[in-house]
Amino acid sequence: MTTTGKQIFTTLDKGGALTVEVAETEFPDPTGNQVLVKMEAAPINPSDLALLFGPADLDNAEYSDGKIVAQMAEPFLSGAKGRHGQRLPVGNEGAGTVVAAGDGEAAQALMGQRVACVPGHAFSQYAIAEAAMCLPLGDHSAEDGASAFVNPMTALGFVENAKMEGQKAIVHAAAASNLGQMLNRICQEDDIALVNIVRKQEQVDLLKNLGAKHVVNSSDDNFMDQLRGAIDATDAYYGFDPIGGGKTIDTIFKAMEQVAVGKMSEYSRYGSNQQKKMYIYGRLDLGPTILTPSYGFGWTLSGWLLTPFLQQAGQETAGRMRKRVLDNLTTTFASHYKKRVNLEEMLTKDAATNYRAMKTGEKYLVTPWG
Amino acid sequence: MTTTGKQIFTTLDKGGALTVEVAETEFPDPTGNQVLVKMEAAPINPSDLALLFGPADLDNAEYSDGKIVAQMAEPFLSGAKGRHGQRLPVGNEGAGTVVAAGDGEAAQALMGQRVACVPGHAFSQYAIAEAAMCLPLGDHSAEDGASAFVNPMTALGFVENAKMEGQKAIVHAAAASNLGQMLNRICQEDDIALVNIVRKQEQVDLLKNLGAKHVVNSSDDNFMDQLRGAIDATDAYYGFDPIGGGKTIDTIFKAMEQVAVGKMSEYSRYGSNQQKKMYIYGRLDLGPTILTPSYGFGWTLSGWLLTPFLQQAGQETAGRMRKRVLDNLTTTFASHYKKRVNLEEMLTKDAATNYRAMKTGEKYLVTPWG
């Protein structure tokens, strides 16, 4: 007995046409330690948008009921060769109620419970999820639990990673995001200094109202002074950037090196001995990352993804992180949404162009039965 | 009783005039574990050139006896702010005979011996060096020992670093250099697979004649095919690049990722799980490093310098490396020179423009008493 329901798929053909559509789908019965979750809420995260639309042209797309057909230009079309012709489900995470379970003990234990899950096809009325990755939500609503994984575990992952590497301060770019606000709360709780880089005065105000001590505005004329001052005050030679493209990381490395060189007593052709480390965890800017030769050889830049980090951190750490998220779901790790859309509403021009802009405080929540 | 001798200095004033000149200098008596070395030979390494001339305009410089005055353009002038107005000695390494020693036991033990040393002011008739960093050369000539430190320890450092990180294969860019040839010999001795990237057919021939198995030519139309083939054959997801600027590293990461993705059974929006790591150890190209979003998040790029590496590796490893260099000074770690110049000859237009071009097989040796 299979279950049917509506689900969103994205397909990029090799000619550059990207089709995103709602389709009636059959879901298999869960086996082993799988569960079938009737999905109630799923957030649209930046990481979902990369797969859902990528850099396709949504302004000039064709919109019909539950369907978008847009064009993907080069070099992105060739860059996404691996997905050409594949009909892909979307939606990293969400929450709902377990309506069927495999024979496995872990799966059976979740039967009837509301859980947060990470199925990878959360923009759907049903989803098959691994019991081991489900977080029982107790009395919390699906909306409270919908974003319990990606942003909370990523923000917490940054702090865990910093601690593992002996760091007591973090620089964060695009820091007014939902994730950035969580990171701000975690750093306050854990006494980690945080240098927040934003690009608008209202984002400065927002973070300051949330108790952030160091917020620097890249649109200000004296931005470099602000950044150097904050690095000097915190000893933050370590950070995370979701922008990726352009000169953000270059600017941060430069400021770090200038602070370090300012503390040296004599000139060295090789720059300071201060090790500087940045991670790219997103690609809000798909342009190339630009690194100028302005900060010697004492730096490391690395990609950062949650799943490999959790594997490296080990089960005990991951378990401790999940417990902390659940214990603080409506406080430290709360997400806020601008709007709720069902699957068809999600694919209207107004909605798609709005949530794709990823503006601060404008996150969408998909409620597939709404 | 001080010693006097000729020495080379480089001074960049804040207006952009770079003066490089031979000057009569007083050398203090060595104290403690210092020794005074009468220098007999010192190589001009790429790392010396960065300090000696940087990107100054040598074609339109003024040349007089033992003196060059050249202009340094922006953005390099501002980029070198830390050295403005400072009269800096040059020359990382060289070899000569210890003619005076401090009271320290290590210094006294070297009295009268020929040593390789790393004084940082080797383009000089005398140099003050730390006994602990001197390598007694026994019966070797000063010319044999002049390049015993920078290139040998760097090439050996790459292999030691690869082993520490569990790697069995290395990609090396600009691989036909003196250092690249050493690396080729070390990798053969240590059974580490090496992918040599060069840009000319004669460099392919040169390395193949030295027994290199994988040499790929970036000037060939099918370069990417060659590079992917070599990575696939060796599992080299780890490497070193002395170029720094431009797209070399981007190209290497792309090829690595394409090989890794080719082995995956299904598409992942995040790219392969294959970790890729590259080190920049030089800046032959002072342009920005360009990293495109073409290889997911499983990559790390880091600066690499010998001194911090040796500190991290520890005394035992450093000692073992030094012994290996000394034991194989005229074989594995032999350097070859195109020309010998004294201090004045080093600052003629012909010589300066020639060795600054850093062509394969055209290394200069400074013989300050010649």
Side-chain angles (χ1 to χ4, degrees):
Chain A
M1 190 213 71
T2 54
T3 308
T4 60
K6 290 190 280 188
Q7 185 177 0
I8 282 186
F9 292 93
T10 180
T11 312
L12 175 64
D13 73 31
K14 63 182 180 189
L18 177 85
T19 304
V20 185
E21 62 189 327
V22 180
E24 196 75 21
T25 311
E26 282 198 2
F27 297 87
D29 289 336
T31 59
N33 272 316
Q34 290 179 332
V35 292
L36 181 70
V37 182
K38 185 174 177 185
M39 298 299 291
E40 294 164 59
I44 305 179
N45 288 318
S47 52
D48 297 316
L49 288 168
L51 181 66
L52 188 66
F53 298 137
D57 179 6
L58 289 189
D59 290 332
N60 300 299
E62 286 169 42
Y63 293 83
S64 52
D65 192 28
K67 187 171 181 177
I68 302 177
V69 181
Q71 288 300 311
M72 182 86 82
E74 293 291 359
F76 308 108
L77 176 58
S78 300
K81 217 175 196 169
R83 61 175 286 194
H84 288 179
Q86 294 192 54
R87 191 164 174 263
L88 299 168
V90 202
N92 273 310
E93 67 179 339
T97 300
V98 175
V99 293
D103 293 337
E105 204 176 325
Q108 284 294 325
L110 293 175
M111 191 60 206
Q113 290 199 56
R114 178 168 284 152
V115 296
C117 59
V118 201
H121 54 283
F123 300 155
S124 176
Q125 291 184 320
Y126 292 94
I128 296 283
E130 293 297 323
M133 291 292 281
C134 289
L135 195 64
L137 289 171
D139 292 337
H140 288 298
S141 70
E143 188 165 323
D144 282 346
S147 295
F149 197 79
V150 177
N151 277 349
M153 293 293 274
T154 300
L156 205 42
F158 293 171
V159 175
E160 290 287 340
N161 212 348
K163 290 176 184 173
M164 281 176 197
E165 300 191 65
Q167 303 291 327
K168 290 179 177 168
I170 292 173
V171 175
H172 188 220
S177 65
N178 193 301
L179 190 155
Q181 295 177 34
M182 273 181 206
L183 183 61
N184 175 50
R185 291 190 288 266
I186 299 165
C187 286
Q188 287 177 31
E189 291 169 13
D190 290 16
D191 209 17
I192 297 286
L194 180 64
V195 176
N196 298 278
I197 302 177
V198 299
R199 54 179 184 169
K200 290 182 184 167
Q201 185 57 43
E202 60 253 43
Q203 296 168 331
V204 175
D205 299 339
L206 186 156
L207 286 170
K208 292 246 168 178
N209 283 336
L210 296 173
K213 267 191 198 150
H214 305 280
V215 190
V216 301
N217 185 348
S218 62
S219 299
D220 286 349
D221 288 340
N222 67 344
F223 167 56
M224 276 305 272
D225 283 342
Q226 292 182 24
L227 185 55
R228 280 189 296 256
I231 289 167
D232 198 17
T234 56
D235 279 333
Y237 295 98
Y238 182 92
F240 295 87
D241 169 49
I243 302 168
K247 290 202 158 190
T248 304
I249 289 160
D250 189 60
T251 302
I252 295 169
F253 276 150
K254 268 185 195 160
M256 289 174 172
E257 177 69 2
Q258 287 165 3
V259 172
V261 164
K263 296 177 179 173
M264 289 168 72
S265 53
E266 63 182 56
Y267 176 72
S268 163
R269 70 196 83 177
Y270 298 116
S272 76
N273 289 322
Q274 176 64 54
Q275 287 297 315
K276 300 162 285 291
K277 189 165 193 176
M278 289 294 298
Y279 289 98
I280 294 183
Y281 71 93
R283 274 282 178 182
L284 297 180
D285 180 343
L286 286 167
T289 310
I290 306 292
L291 302 173
T292 61
S294 314
Y295 23 87
F297 291 86
W299 57 270
T300 297
L301 175 61
S302 192
W304 197 96
L305 276 183
L306 181 56
T307 307
F309 169 74
L310 290 177
Q311 282 163 357
Q312 180 204 328
Q315 278 199 331
E316 197 184 313
T317 301
R320 177 167 49 73
M321 290 167 65
R322 285 158 63 93
K323 182 171 185 320
R324 183 168 171 183
V325 172
L326 189 61
D327 289 349
N328 302 280
L329 199 56
T330 56
T331 52
T332 309
F333 300 103
S335 285
H336 301 285
Y337 306 98
K338 178 191 180 182
K339 207 162 177 177
R340 282 137 203 89
V341 287
N342 66 25
L343 297 175
E344 286 81 7
E345 288 163 351
M346 184 181 161
L347 300 188
T348 59
K349 184 168 187 175
D350 270 4
T353 51
N354 191 199
Y355 61 74
R356 212 258 290 256
M358 295 184 276
K359 289 187 187 151
T360 304
E362 304 207 348
K363 206 179 183 71
Y364 274 57
L365 187 70
V366 181
T367 49
W369 299 91
Chain B
M1 190 212 74
T2 54
T3 308
T4 62
K6 292 190 279 188
Q7 184 177 358
I8 282 186
F9 291 93
T10 180
T11 312
L12 175 65
D13 74 29
K14 64 181 179 189
L18 176 85
T19 304
V20 184
E21 62 189 328
V22 180
E24 196 75 21
T25 311
E26 281 198 1
F27 297 88
D29 290 336
T31 59
N33 272 316
Q34 290 178 332
V35 292
L36 181 71
V37 182
K38 185 176 177 183
M39 298 298 291
E40 295 164 59
I44 305 179
N45 288 317
S47 52
D48 297 315
L49 288 167
L51 181 65
L52 188 66
F53 298 136
D57 179 6
L58 289 190
D59 291 332
N60 300 299
E62 286 169 44
Y63 293 84
S64 52
D65 193 28
K67 187 171 181 176
I68 302 177
V69 181
Q71 288 300 311
M72 181 86 81
E74 293 292 359
F76 308 109
L77 176 59
S78 299
K81 219 175 197 172
R83 60 175 287 195
H84 288 180
Q86 294 192 54
R87 192 163 173 263
L88 300 167
V90 203
N92 273 310
E93 66 178 340
T97 300
V98 175
V99 293
D103 293 337
E105 204 176 325
Q108 284 295 323
L110 293 175
M111 191 61 205
Q113 291 199 55
R114 178 168 283 153
V115 298
C117 60
V118 201
H121 55 285
F123 301 155
S124 176
Q125 291 184 318
Y126 292 94
I128 295 282
E130 292 299 321
M133 290 293 280
C134 289
L135 194 64
L137 288 171
D139 293 337
H140 288 297
S141 70
E143 188 166 322
D144 282 346
S147 294
F149 197 78
V150 177
N151 277 348
M153 293 294 273
T154 300
L156 204 44
F158 294 171
V159 175
E160 290 287 339
N161 212 346
K163 290 177 185 172
M164 281 175 197
E165 300 191 65
Q167 304 290 328
K168 291 178 177 169
I170 293 172
V171 175
H172 189 219
S177 65
N178 193 302
L179 190 154
Q181 295 176 35
M182 273 180 206
L183 183 60
N184 175 51
R185 291 190 288 266
I186 298 165
C187 285
Q188 288 176 31
E189 290 169 14
D190 289 17
D191 209 18
I192 297 285
L194 180 64
V195 176
N196 298 276
I197 302 177
V198 298
R199 54 177 184 171
K200 289 180 184 169
Q201 185 58 43
E202 60 253 43
Q203 295 167 332
V204 175
D205 300 340
L206 186 154
L207 286 170
K208 292 245 169 180
N209 282 336
L210 296 172
K213 267 191 197 149
H214 305 279
V215 190
V216 300
N217 185 348
S218 62
S219 299
D220 286 349
D221 288 340
N222 67 344
F223 167 56
M224 277 306 274
D225 283 342
Q226 293 182 24
L227 184 55
R228 280 189 295 256
I231 289 166
D232 198 18
T234 56
D235 279 333
Y237 295 98
Y238 182 92
F240 295 87
D241 168 50
I243 302 168
K247 290 204 157 189
T248 305
I249 289 160
D250 189 61
T251 302
I252 295 169
F253 276 150
K254 268 184 196 161
M256 289 173 171
E257 177 68 4
Q258 287 165 3
V259 172
V261 164
K263 295 176 180 174
M264 289 168 70
S265 53
E266 63 183 56
Y267 175 73
S268 162
R269 72 196 83 177
Y270 299 116
S272 76
N273 288 322
Q274 176 64 54
Q275 287 296 315
K276 299 162 285 292
K277 189 165 194 176
M278 290 293 298
Y279 289 98
I280 294 182
Y281 71 94
R283 274 282 179 181
L284 297 179
D285 180 342
L286 285 168
T289 310
I290 305 293
L291 302 173
T292 61
S294 315
Y295 24 87
F297 291 85
W299 57 269
T300 298
L301 174 61
S302 192
W304 197 95
L305 276 184
L306 181 56
T307 307
F309 169 73
L310 290 177
Q311 282 163 357
Q312 180 205 327
Q315 278 200 332
E316 197 185 312
T317 300
R320 177 167 48 73
M321 290 167 65
R322 287 158 63 92
K323 182 173 185 317
R324 182 167 171 185
V325 172
L326 189 60
D327 289 348
N328 302 280
L329 199 56
T330 56
T331 52
T332 309
F333 300 102
S335 285
H336 301 284
Y337 306 98
K338 178 192 180 182
K339 208 162 177 177
R340 280 136 205 90
V341 286
N342 65 25
L343 297 175
E344 285 81 7
E345 288 164 350
M346 183 181 162
L347 299 188
T348 59
K349 184 168 187 175
D350 270 5
T353 51
N354 190 198
Y355 61 72
R356 210 259 289 257
M358 295 184 275
K359 289 186 186 153
T360 304
E362 304 208 347
K363 206 180 184 69
Y364 274 57
L365 187 71
V366 181
T367 50
W369 298 91

